[in-house]
C-alpha cells in the first residue's frame, strides 16, 4: 500500500518540477530577446531551471526507480505469458507468447518449438518459419538433445546458410520438464553485439517460467491419472467380493422364483455396464444415487427386506449437480458389510443438501456403530485393499476436485449407528452448464 501511495505523489512532484523548468526556461528566453530585463530575475530563473533539471534527471536516473519500472514490466509480461497458456503449450498459445515477448526484447524474432516442429514465431523471416513447420536449425536440435542453453554469434552456428542477411545471432533456451527438453525458446538477433547480459537473463528467465508452467501442468495431469488408476484399483478390489455374492443370490432364485432371478440378472448387467461407464470423471448426483439403489437391490435380495432398507432425502435444487463417480455406493456397501446388527433391520439413509455453494452428502445408518479406534482407522486407513482404499480414494478425490477445505467426516457411537458426511466445497460449481 505504501508503494501505491508513493507513486501518485512522485508523479505530482515530477509534474511540478517540469512546470517550474518550463516556466523558468520561458523567462530566460524572454530575457534574451527583451532589452533591459532585471538581472536578478534572470539569475533566479537560471537557478530554478538548473535545479529543476538536476532533480528531474536524478529522479529519472534513480537506480531504484529504474529497477522498479523494469520489475513491473517483467512481472506484467510474465503474467500475460502465463495467461496465454491456460491449457498448455500448443500452436495457438506459443504464437501468443512470441507476440508478447518480441516487443520486450532487443531480438528481431522470437520462436518457440516443441520437440519436432515450430509452435510459434514472431518477427523477421516469419514467412519462412510458419507454425507447424519442422525445426530447421541444427542448434535447436542440439539443445533439444542435451538440454543446454546456447548463445550463438553467427548464422553458421545457428544452422542458417553462411552470409544470412537478417539473423546473425541467437539465444536458444531449453524448455525442460523432469530434466528432459520438451521444447525451446529462441531469441534471434540481427547482430551478435545485440546479445548482452540483459537479453540472456530475459531469455533464460522466460525459459524457466515456461518450463515451470509446463511442469505444473504435467504434474496436474499425472495427479488426474493417478486418481483414475486408484479408482480402477478400487473397483477391481471391491467387485470380486460383490460379484460372487450376487451370482450366488441370483442362482438361489432360479428354482424358487425364476422371474425374480431374470429381473436381478438384467439389473446386474445394467449395474456393471454403468459401473464401467461411470469410471472416469464427474457424473450426475442422481445417477450416482440410482446406481447405489441398484446395488442395494442385490443386497436386499441376498439378506431379505426384513433385514435391509434404503431411503433417500435429496434436495430438489440439486438436480443437475455433478459429483465424482463411485463415491456414495462404497460408503453404503461399507454400512451393509459392517453396520448390520445380528438381529433386526439395518436402515440406511442417503441425504444430500445444498448450503450456499457447498453440497453435503451424508450416508446415515442406524446400525452397530463403532469404537473411536475403529473410526480413526477408517479416517486414516493403512489398508491398501478393499474398503480401506475405498475410503482413502473417496477422501483424496474430494480434495482433488473441490480443494483442501473439502473433507469427509465420520460421526459414530457404538450401538447407535454411523453418519458419514462428504463436505463438497463449491460443489454447486459442477452444475451442468
Amino acid at each position: 500500500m505504501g508503494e501505491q501511495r508513493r507513486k501518485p505523489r512522485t508523479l505530482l512532484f515530477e509534474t511540478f518540477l517540469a512546470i517550474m523548468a518550463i516556466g523558468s526556461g520561458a523567462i530566460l528566453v524572454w530575457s534574451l530577446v527583451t532589452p533591459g530585463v532585471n538581472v536578478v530575475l534572470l539569475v533566479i530563473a537560471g537557478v530554478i531551471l538548473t535545479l529543476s533539471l538536476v532533480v528531474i534527471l536524478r529522479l529519472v536516473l534513480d537506480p531504484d526507480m529504474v529497477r522498479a519500472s523494469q520489475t513491473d514490466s517483467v512481472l506484467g509480461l510474465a503474467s500475460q505469458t502465463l495467461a496465454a497458456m491456460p491449457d498448455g503449450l500448443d500452436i495457438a498459445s506459443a504464437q501468443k507468447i512470441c507476440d508478447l515477448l518480441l516487443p520486450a526484447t532487443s531480438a528481431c524474432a522470437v520462436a518457440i518449438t516443441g520437440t519436432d516442429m515450430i509452435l510459434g514465431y514472431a518477427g523477421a523471416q516469419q514467412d519462412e518459419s510458419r507454425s507447424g513447420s519442422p525445426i530447421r536449425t541444427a542448434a535447436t536440435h542440439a539443445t533439444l538433445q542435451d538440454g543446454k542453453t546456447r548463445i550463438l554469434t553467427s548464422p553458421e552456428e545457428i544452422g542458417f546458410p553462411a552470409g544470412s542477411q537478417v539473423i546473425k545471432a541467437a539465444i536458444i533456451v531449453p524448455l525442460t520438464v523432469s530434466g528432459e527438453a520438451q521444447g525451446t525458446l529462441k531469441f534471434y538477433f540481427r547482430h551478435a553485439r545485440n546479445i548482452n547480459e540483459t537479453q540472456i537473463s530475459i531469455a533464460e528467465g522466460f525459459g524457466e517460467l515456461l518450463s515451470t508452467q509446463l511442469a505444473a501442468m504435467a504434474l496436474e495431469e499425472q495427479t488426474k491419472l493417478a486418481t483414475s488408476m486408484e479408482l480402477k484399483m478400487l473397483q477391481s478390489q471391491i467387485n470380486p467380493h460383490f460379484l460372487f455374492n450376487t451370482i450366488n443370490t441370483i442362482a438361489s432364485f432360479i428354482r424358487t422364483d425364476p422371474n425374480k432371478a431374470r429381473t436381478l440378472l438384467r439389473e446386474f448387467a445394467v449395474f456393471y455396464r454403468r459401473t464401467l461407464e461411470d469410471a472416469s470423471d464427474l457424473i450426475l448426483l442422481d445417477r450416482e444415487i440410482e446406481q447405489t439403489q441398484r446395488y442395494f437391490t442385490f443386497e436386499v435380495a441376498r439378506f431379505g427386506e426384513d433385514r435391509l432398507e434404503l431411503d433417500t432425502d435429496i434436495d430438489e435444487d440439486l438436480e443437475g449437480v455433478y459429483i465424482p463417480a463411485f463415491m456414495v455406493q462404497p460408503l453404503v456397501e461399507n454400512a451393509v458389510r459392517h453396520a448390520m446388527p445380528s438381529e433386526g433391520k439395518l436402515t440406511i439413509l442417503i441425504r444430500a443438501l445444498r448450503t450456499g455453494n457447498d453440497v453435503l452428502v451424508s450416508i446415515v445408518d442406524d446400525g452397530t456403530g463403532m469404537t473411536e479406534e475403529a473410526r480413526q482407522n477408517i479416517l486414516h486407513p493403512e489398508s491398501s485393499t478393499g474398503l480401506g482404499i475405498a475410503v482413502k480414494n473417496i477422501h483424496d478425490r474430494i480434495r482433488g476436485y473441490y480443494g483442501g477445505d473439502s473433507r469427509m467426516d465420520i460421526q459414530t457411537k457404538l450401538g447407535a449407528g454411523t453418519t458419514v458426511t462428504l463436505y463438497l466445497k463449491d460443489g454447486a460449481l459442477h452444475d451442468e452448464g
Side-chain angles (χ1 to χ4, degrees):
M1 290 297 292
E3 181 66 13
Q4 292 175 349
R5 289 194 298 267
R6 188 183 71 80
K7 287 183 178 179
R9 288 203 293 266
T10 300
L11 181 61
L12 183 63
F13 182 54
E14 290 176 351
T15 303
F16 172 74
L17 288 175
I19 293 172
M20 293 289 290
I22 292 171
S24 57
I27 293 174
L28 286 174
V29 172
W30 175 71
S31 65
L32 291 175
V33 298
T34 305
V37 175
N38 190 316
V39 175
V40 175
L41 178 62
L42 189 64
V43 172
I44 292 174
V47 170
I48 291 174
L49 175 62
T50 302
L51 290 175
S52 298
L53 291 176
V54 169
V55 174
I56 289 174
L57 286 173
R58 286 181 63 85
L59 285 173
V60 171
L61 298 178
D62 178 22
D64 288 338
M65 291 190 66
V66 172
R67 282 194 293 269
S69 177
Q70 291 175 339
T71 300
D72 286 345
S73 298
V74 171
L75 289 176
L77 187 58
S79 177
Q80 290 177 290
T81 299
L82 294 178
M85 50 184 300
D87 300 318
L89 195 59
D90 53 21
I91 287 178
S93 61
Q95 187 59 50
K96 288 181 182 179
I97 293 170
C98 290
D99 292 336
L100 285 170
L101 293 181
L102 182 60
T105 73
S106 298
C108 65
V110 175
I112 294 175
T113 76
T115 55
D116 55 7
M117 70 177 181
I118 299 170
L119 297 177
Y121 193 105
Q125 297 185 333
Q126 186 167 349
D127 290 340
E128 302 172 23
S129 304
R130 295 287 184 183
S131 298
S133 58
I135 295 171
R136 60 194 182 101
T137 58
T140 304
H141 286 292
T143 299
L144 287 168
Q145 288 179 354
D146 61 21
K148 295 180 179 179
T149 296
R150 280 175 165 75
I151 300 171
L152 310 167
T153 56
S154 71
E156 293 83 1
E157 289 183 1
I158 299 171
F160 290 150
S164 174
Q165 296 300 309
V166 179
I167 296 174
K168 298 183 178 179
I171 303 171
I172 304 179
V173 179
L175 305 180
T176 59
V177 177
S178 300
E180 294 188 6
Q182 302 295 319
T184 64
L185 171 64
K186 302 190 287 186
F187 286 6
Y188 289 129
F189 300 87
R190 297 184 186 277
H191 302 284
R193 64 174 178 270
N194 296 134
I195 299 179
N196 53 37
E197 290 301 322
T198 299
Q199 298 304 309
I200 295 172
S201 296
I202 291 174
E204 291 180 335
F206 277 94
E208 185 67 28
L209 179 69
L210 294 178
S211 295
T212 301
Q213 184 70 356
L214 290 174
M217 290 181 171
L219 179 61
E220 182 180 355
E221 187 63 29
Q222 288 297 319
T223 300
K224 290 181 179 178
L225 179 61
T227 300
S228 176
M229 292 302 293
E230 282 186 6
L231 180 56
K232 292 183 184 300
M233 185 185 299
L234 170 61
Q235 290 174 308
S236 69
Q237 293 288 349
I238 291 178
N239 288 349
H241 171 86
F242 174 63
L243 172 66
F244 295 125
N245 287 333
T246 303
I247 290 175
N248 288 334
T249 300
I250 295 173
S252 70
F253 282 106
I254 290 176
R255 281 177 291 191
T256 60
D257 193 342
N259 289 333
K260 187 170 186 177
R262 283 194 294 270
T263 300
L264 289 173
L265 193 57
R266 284 196 299 268
E267 286 296 297
F268 193 57
V270 173
F271 174 82
Y272 262 88
R273 185 171 66 250
R274 290 286 179 86
T275 298
L276 295 176
E277 290 173 352
D278 296 342
S280 60
D281 215 330
L282 301 172
I283 66 170
L284 285 166
L285 174 61
D286 290 346
R287 183 179 174 107
E288 172 77 359
I289 292 176
E290 177 188 329
Q291 183 74 341
T292 303
Q293 290 172 322
R294 185 172 286 110
Y295 149 78
F296 203 78
T297 299
F298 308 128
E299 297 290 29
V300 171
R302 176 186 173 196
F303 291 103
E305 294 181 359
D306 60 334
R307 296 281 283 143
L308 283 174
E309 181 180 341
L310 178 66
D311 297 322
T312 60
D313 180 13
I314 312 299
D315 276 5
E316 291 182 0
D317 65 347
L318 289 181
E319 182 178 354
V321 167
Y322 284 76
I323 67 170
F326 210 56
M327 281 208 171
V328 176
Q329 184 206 320
L331 297 176
V332 172
E333 182 174 352
N334 190 40
V336 172
R337 292 183 62 184
H338 300 288
M340 186 183 297
S342 56
E343 296 180 358
K345 178 185 286 189
L346 172 68
T347 300
I348 301 173
L349 169 67
I350 302 174
R351 179 189 297 127
L353 57 92
R354 186 198 298 265
T355 59
N357 278 336
D358 303 337
V359 173
L360 275 63
V361 180
S362 299
I363 291 83
V364 184
D365 72 67
D366 59 358
T368 59
M370 67 185 80
T371 64
E372 177 61 21
E373 181 181 1
R375 188 182 81 93
Q376 290 297 328
N377 288 338
I378 290 178
L379 286 173
H380 307 286
E382 299 297 331
S383 173
S384 60
T385 61
L387 288 166
I389 194 173
V391 173
K392 181 180 185 300
N393 180 277
I394 292 169
H395 180 264
D396 290 348
R397 285 191 292 137
I398 285 174
R399 295 174 69 89
Y401 276 104
Y402 301 101
D405 290 336
S406 298
R407 67 188 191 281
M408 178 172 62
D409 179 70
I410 299 177
Q411 298 296 324
T412 186
K413 185 176 181 181
L414 195 61
T418 301
T419 299
V420 180
T421 303
L422 309 179
Y423 292 87
L424 312 180
K425 296 294 290 183
D426 292 326
L429 297 180
H430 292 285
D431 284 1
E432 186 173 23

